[in-house]
Amino acid sequence: MNKDVGRSAERELVKILRETGFKAVRIPTSNSSPNPLPDVFAVNGELLLAFEVKSTWENKVKVRSMQVEKLLDFLSMFPMRGEAVVAVKFKTLHQWRFVKVHSRCDLIVNVEDSRPLHELLVEQQNSITGIDASLLLTSKALTEHPSLQPSEGGLRLHQEA
């Protein structure tokens, strides 16, 4: 992934996370650093999300075990509940999708085996608040973030090409 494209995708993800209730930051040196740093991390309550971010025109993207290991090692430094997540912007679909990772290994993220990013956001909000956060995300995100659009199955992320 081109570095400028990667930075742009990371910034876009930070914006989406912030507008859906997370405190989020991009770590600009994450890939070049030997330290266990994710591309992006986000906090909401006692939940910490660590993201490896990818952007592609293809229908799949490879994530190296070293990148996954950095996410898991980063999360292990904190006492709060954490989730390691690979977030991929599939540009041909104008969609963000994700997979949660639990083990140190190379993996291929494709459209079929990943989930829409809004599902992660709703799932995490539900676990934090104990209520159906899809209602909260629907009202807040639709008015504040143009990339969250309603669809028959609920919210979906839509990005301009």
Side-chain angles (χ1 to χ4, degrees), residues 5 10-11 37 47 55 91 94 116 121 125 130:
V5 171
E10 291 167 3
R11 286 186 191 106
L37 298 172
L47 173 67
S55 179
K91 295 190 209 181
H94 309 289
L121 300 176
Q125 289 293 341

Side-chain angles (χ1 to χ4, degrees), residues 80-142:
M80 61 198 321
R81 184 170 68 91
E83 296 274 359
V85 180
V86 176
V88 181
K89 181 179 182 182
F90 288 101
K91 295 190 209 181
T92 54
L93 301 174
H94 309 289
Q95 219 181 84
W96 278 94
R97 298 185 68 85
F98 80 95
V99 294
K100 291 182 184 178
V101 292
H102 305 285
S103 60
R104 296 157 170 33
C105 61
D106 288 345
L107 66 120
I108 303 291
V109 179
N110 59 45
V111 174
E112 296 80 25
D113 296 328
S114 60
R115 294 170 47 201
L117 183 62
H118 77 273
E119 290 182 12
L120 173 69
L121 300 176
V122 169
E123 175 184 295
Q124 299 308 328
Q125 289 293 341
N126 287 345
S127 70
I128 292 165
T129 63
I131 62 172
D132 184 357
S134 62
L135 301 173
L136 299 174
L137 282 176
T138 300
S139 62
K140 182 177 180 188
L142 284 177

Side-chain angles (χ1 to χ4, degrees), residues 30-51:
S30 59
N31 209 16
S32 60
S33 172
N35 295 314
L37 298 172
D39 292 329
V40 169
F41 75 92
V43 177
N44 194 337
E46 290 297 313
L47 173 67
L48 173 62
L49 300 176
F51 290 92

Side-chain angles (χ1 to χ4, degrees), residues 56-99:
T56 184
W57 287 102
E58 306 296 323
N59 288 327
K60 64 182 178 180
V61 65
K62 182 174 183 172
V63 181
R64 297 185 317 252
S65 62
M66 176 199 68
Q67 294 168 306
V68 173
E69 186 172 348
K70 283 185 175 188
L71 296 178
L72 297 171
D73 289 347
F74 175 79
L75 291 171
S76 72
M77 295 189 298
F78 300 93
M80 61 198 321
R81 184 170 68 91
E83 296 274 359
V85 180
V86 176
V88 181
K89 181 179 182 182
F90 288 101
K91 295 190 209 181
T92 54
L93 301 174
H94 309 289
Q95 219 181 84
W96 278 94
R97 298 185 68 85
F98 80 95
V99 294

